[in-house]
Amino acid sequence: MPAVLDLWKKTSALPLGDRLFSLAFSQKAPYFASIRPRFTVLEPHRAELVIRKRRRVHNHIGTLHAIALCNGLEAAMGAMAEASIPRERRWIPKGMEVSYTAKADSDVTCIAETDPEQWTAEVCDGYDLPVRVRGVRADGTVVIEGTIRLWVTEKRGA
């Protein structure tokens, strides 16, 4: 079992374990701490986290800043990728394309998803793997959606 998924299963079973996992995840990649993500779902091919609407992540009109939302999408994608990728492969983000579809005027749940067969494609020299991402407001409105493209290769020496 991938280490991130193992850590999620161990911590999420504890009281406040989702917060403990979220803190540990943010320590591994410190920039993610700026949004204080709170993971709520982590399983192969899907991750969800919540960004609370608070002043620290506001823009000039009092909604969640676009880059804070992108940060949340990337954090969800990273955790999902680690929980999904076969042990003999590795990934790196290659690009992100998003559309802002509504004001983020509440907490936002950031979701990253793939399909199982995306991780078992023929590798050769590497391949692009598109990850579907979106951010959803508390009332169910999608405020941001797009794709994060990963480059997947075999691990050296694997």
Side-chain angles (χ1 to χ4, degrees), residues 9-149:
K9 288 183 177 187
K10 287 177 183 175
T11 58
S12 63
L14 302 171
L16 301 177
D18 59 342
R19 294 176 195 268
L20 179 63
F21 174 86
S22 300
L23 179 64
F25 187 87
S26 294
Q27 292 300 308
K28 184 69 173 169
Y31 184 70
F32 292 138
S34 67
I35 58 167
R36 288 192 193 161
R38 184 174 50 85
F39 282 84
T40 56
V41 174
L42 180 56
E43 56 195 30
H45 317 296
R46 185 177 180 87
E48 296 184 17
L49 63 83
V50 175
I51 302 173
R52 285 188 14 253
K53 183 181 180 292
R54 56 192 174 79
R55 181 168 167 68
R56 182 172 217 151
V57 292
H58 281 181
N59 57 23
H60 65 289
I61 60 173
T63 61
L64 288 175
H65 194 283
I67 298 306
L69 293 170
C70 288
N71 193 0
L73 295 176
E74 189 173 7
M77 174 281 303
M80 181 279 309
E82 285 296 311
S84 304
I85 195 163
R87 291 189 187 281
E88 69 278 0
R89 295 185 180 185
R90 61 184 176 177
W91 63 273
I92 188 167
K94 190 174 177 184
M96 174 187 269
E97 295 145 8
V98 295
S99 297
Y100 306 107
T101 55
K103 288 182 179 178
D105 57 6
S106 72
D107 294 354
V108 170
T109 299
C110 295
I111 303 162
E113 297 174 303
T114 59
D115 300 315
E117 60 273 6
Q118 289 179 269
W119 296 98
T120 57
E122 187 68 34
V123 174
C124 295
D125 293 329
Y127 67 96
D128 280 319
L129 189 153
V131 177
R132 299 178 305 276
V133 292
R134 68 184 181 282
V136 181
R137 218 166 47 193
D139 68 2
T141 302
V142 174
V143 299
I144 185 172
E145 61 186 343
T147 303
I148 299 176
R149 290 182 332 278

